[in-house]
Amino acid sequence: MTWRVVIVTRVLPVALGFYEAVREAGHEPVAVLTIRDSDGRYGTFDIGGMLGQLPADLSVLLPASRSMIAPLLGSVKPDLVICMGFPWKVPPDALALPPQGWINGHPSFLPFHRGPVPVAWAIRAGDEEIGITFHRMDAELDTGAILAQRSMEIGDYTEPDAFYPRMGPVVIETLKDALAKLAAGEPGTTQAGEGTYES
């Protein structure tokens, strides 16, 4: 069965990598949902540059508020939404819209280092590895059932622009694992224990 897939992110390499992984899995990427950031709250972001590099067959959805996510998603009729690198908490009406739900890529070994900057917290904690987790999204942050996890050595400290590209191949392979489990109808594994949330 082929799914219509929407990618939700503010990170161009995530959008491009997920696009290719979704196509390789036999599904149809139909749109990218992202946001403007006029006050710079979420760091530097060149939306014009992003739009110029996205594949031409993707619609671009730009909600002005959280309440507009569900109506915009409804316009492209997704079966599945894949999210990573998106700063807004997704409202329940949007989470409920796609039949296959939403999955999120989170760079930690969930249930540890939940929250918006898990790599920084892993380094601060002295972890030797970071995890890459794809999990089902629910009403809380980073608490949904885990579909796939892999690990990556942190290695020598370096600038973010050098570190994050090393994560790319691990993220994509973990996404492929998660898509295969979704296609097999697997519900995922409930996160064990209390875990940690770090702001």
Side-chain angles (χ1 to χ4, degrees):
M1 179 180 182
T2 299
W3 297 331
R4 292 172 59 83
V5 178
V6 171
I7 299 162
V8 175
T9 189
R10 293 180 68 250
V11 182
L12 178 63
V14 168
L16 297 177
F18 284 15
Y19 174 87
E20 292 299 336
V22 166
R23 286 168 51 93
E24 185 178 320
H27 304 300
E28 180 188 3
V30 295
V32 167
L33 186 146
T34 191
I35 58 169
R36 300 179 184 89
D37 184 18
S38 57
D39 60 6
R41 179 178 176 190
Y42 303 117
T44 57
F45 175 54
D46 176 14
I47 193 168
M50 182 178 186
L51 295 179
Q53 296 183 64
L54 290 173
D57 60 344
L58 285 177
S59 295
V60 178
L61 311 177
L62 281 171
S65 65
R66 292 171 66 245
S67 64
M68 286 303 300
I69 296 176
L72 287 174
L73 278 181
S75 72
V76 295
K77 299 179 174 61
D79 298 299
L80 173 69
V81 176
I82 306 174
C83 181
M84 188 173 194
F86 187 70
W88 289 359
K89 187 174 182 181
V90 179
D93 60 342
L95 289 174
L97 197 145
Q100 297 294 329
W102 288 56
I103 62 172
N104 181 56
H106 186 76
S108 83
F109 280 117
L110 290 177
F112 301 105
H113 304 309
R114 293 178 178 136
V117 285
V119 173
W121 282 104
I123 291 169
R124 186 174 188 175
D127 297 351
E128 294 184 357
E129 295 181 324
I130 61 167
I132 305 296
T133 302
F134 275 86
H135 64 95
R136 293 183 181 272
M137 289 176 66
D138 57 21
E140 301 305 320
L141 292 174
D142 305 325
T143 57
I146 293 170
L147 289 162
Q149 284 186 315
R150 290 182 181 228
S151 64
M152 186 187 97
E153 287 187 12
I154 291 175
D156 294 334
Y157 294 157
T158 186
E159 294 298 317
D161 287 348
F163 179 81
Y164 282 108
R166 286 203 296 116
M167 286 175 50
V170 183
V171 170
I172 295 303
E173 290 306 311
T174 313
L175 172 59
K176 290 177 181 178
D177 293 345
L179 289 172
K181 289 183 178 180
L182 280 174
E186 296 188 26
T189 304
T190 300
Q191 293 189 32
E194 291 296 316
T196 56
Y197 180 88
E198 294 143 340
S199 65

